[in-house]
Amino acid sequence: MKRKIIIDTDPGQDDAVAILMALASPEDFEILGIVAVAGNVALAQNARNALKIVELSGRTDIKVYAGCERPMRRTLVTAEYVHGDTGLDGPNLPAPTQQLESQFGVDFIIDTLMEHEAGEITLATLGPLTNIAMALVKQPRIAERVKEIVMMGGGCFEGGNITPAAEFNIYVDPDAADVVLRSGIHIVMAPLDLTHQMQSTPARLERIKAIGNRAGDAVHAMLIFSERFDLQKYQWPGAPLHDPCVIAYLLKPELFHGRHINVVIETASEHTIGMTVADYWGVTGRVKNVQFLRSGDADGFYDLICERLSRLP
Ligand code: BDR
Ligand code: CA
């Protein structure tokens, strides 16, 4: 049966790959909407990027909304130094012709959840959790209606990528992450521990290029652009590919391995703010709230990406 999903995102080259995979999978997903949030770059640019991605895929039946333009309580931190000034540097994508929906993205999330039966809708989150937390604050009853949240964010054994302790999506809005992780909703977390294994090596990038369609060419150009920062930083054979882990998990959970654990968010400490404090060894006795994906089959993951991208124009 098709899974009904809402994608919440700050695209972002790796967000774009994730969204394209979802758009290429109509037999697996009914995409109820894509909601942009401030993160990698400012909200208006992220929303524009989401429209460009939808148009690249030819799926202009999918509606795009704009959500929150800043974190709940803090100043927005962005990452142009990774993603470029547009947030989606690399390919030369045409200006979008599709318009954003006029409804506020947070209200779209609330209304859609309230209109559906409990347990019908999955939230796939690829950026800071501001929109989801704001929806939970405004209408707490949505918590019991969400089937699950599959999110990219956090890290444990790998540490952080924006500070030694924090991963970017959580660091940008730790208060939002705190609200979401305390909500009681079942959460599947794709942390850096997993995404650092999914490296876009030259051979894998060549496979994407060899698909030979418009989407494959665009993704190749995106990843060539976005990897330069990480290649220098980590000195690995390829850059980590984060957000597609969320969609790959929804499509093929058997590619991933994890453990059900408790995770809480550090929201106060100067040096560790935004840290996902993951009780991997079960030492606290706190309630288990997260399926923490620690490892995955990288070859199977790239096979899936190539197979889905090859379906697109
Ligand atoms: C996350 O941060 C963003 O830059 C990426 O799109 C991904 O969602 C990785 O830390
Ligand atoms: Ca992202």
Side-chain angles (χ1 to χ4, degrees):
M1 204 176 79
K2 278 193 202 192
R3 208 188 250 262
K4 290 183 172 35
I5 63 170
I6 296 173
I7 301 176
D8 193 88
T9 175
D10 61 338
Q13 290 87 353
D14 64 323
D15 302 68
V17 181
I19 296 167
L20 288 170
M21 288 172 75
L23 291 167
S25 307
E27 77 282 30
D28 297 288
F29 299 125
E30 183 183 341
I31 303 173
L32 301 174
I34 297 176
V35 187
V37 66
N40 285 328
V41 292
L43 176 70
Q45 190 63 54
N46 283 332
R48 184 176 163 84
N49 292 344
L51 290 169
K52 283 186 181 178
I53 296 160
V54 164
E55 292 193 8
L56 173 65
S57 76
R59 291 288 312 275
T60 46
D61 54 309
I62 304 298
K63 294 180 171 157
V64 179
Y65 300 79
C68 297
E69 62 184 13
R70 65 172 185 82
M72 292 175 88
R73 294 176 55 221
R74 296 165 208 271
T75 307
L76 177 64
V77 175
T78 54
E80 283 84 358
Y81 57 93
V82 179
H83 302 277
D85 284 342
T86 67
L88 202 56
D89 279 19
N92 210 352
L93 296 177
T97 53
Q98 186 177 337
Q99 300 294 311
L100 279 178
E101 299 303 306
S102 56
Q103 189 183 20
F104 180 40
V106 171
D107 291 332
F108 162 74
I109 292 170
I110 294 171
D111 290 355
T112 308
L113 281 163
M114 296 309 288
E115 283 160 11
H116 284 75
E117 297 295 320
E120 263 195 287
I121 297 177
T122 297
L123 303 177
T125 72
L126 315 176
L129 290 161
T130 316
N131 291 338
I132 311 301
M134 289 298 288
L136 281 162
V137 170
K138 189 169 176 189
Q139 177 46 283
R141 284 167 53 216
I142 63 170
E144 64 215 31
R145 305 186 85 81
V146 176
K147 179 180 171 71
E148 61 181 344
I149 297 176
V150 183
M151 58 173 287
M152 191 281 134
C156 176
F157 302 100
E158 286 290 292
N161 62 358
I162 180 147
T163 73
E167 180 279 327
F168 179 80
N169 289 340
I170 308 294
Y171 180 80
V172 170
D173 200 342
D175 307 295
D178 184 45
V179 168
V180 171
L181 266 78
R182 286 175 192 273
S183 66
I185 300 171
H186 180 252
I187 292 167
V188 178
M189 183 179 277
L192 297 178
D193 304 80
L194 171 71
T195 66
H196 281 181
Q197 296 168 26
M198 304 300 179
Q199 294 173 19
S200 55
T201 59
R204 288 171 178 156
L205 288 172
E206 269 316 301
R207 275 188 71 194
I208 292 172
K209 177 83 182 150
I211 296 170
N213 61 8
R214 190 174 72 188
D217 288 352
V219 166
H220 183 261
M222 284 179 206
L223 296 184
I224 293 286
F225 181 88
S226 61
E227 73 170 7
R228 80 213 180 291
F229 176 81
D230 279 345
L231 290 181
Q232 211 206 348
K233 177 172 158 188
Y234 298 114
Q235 302 281 312
W236 291 339
L241 193 51
H242 306 284
D243 295 337
C245 289
V246 167
I247 301 301
Y249 172 83
L250 288 167
L251 289 169
K252 275 196 157 190
E254 64 272 21
L255 292 176
F256 300 92
H257 301 285
R259 190 183 276 201
H260 196 211
I261 63 171
N262 173 268
V263 180
V264 295
I265 307 293
E266 175 58 62
T267 57
S269 156
E270 179 189 354
H271 295 301
T272 59
I273 189 158
M275 183 177 181
T276 44
V277 181
D279 185 9
Y280 200 79
W281 306 114
V283 295
T284 63
R286 289 195 284 250
V287 173
K288 295 176 180 178
N289 55 345
V290 168
Q291 179 68 15
F292 185 93
L293 304 179
R294 190 175 176 185
S295 62
D297 169 0
D299 286 332
F301 173 72
Y302 278 91
D303 286 347
L304 181 62
I305 291 174
C306 291
E307 188 266 312
R308 295 295 149 145
L309 292 180
S310 71
R311 300 167 165 205
L312 293 171

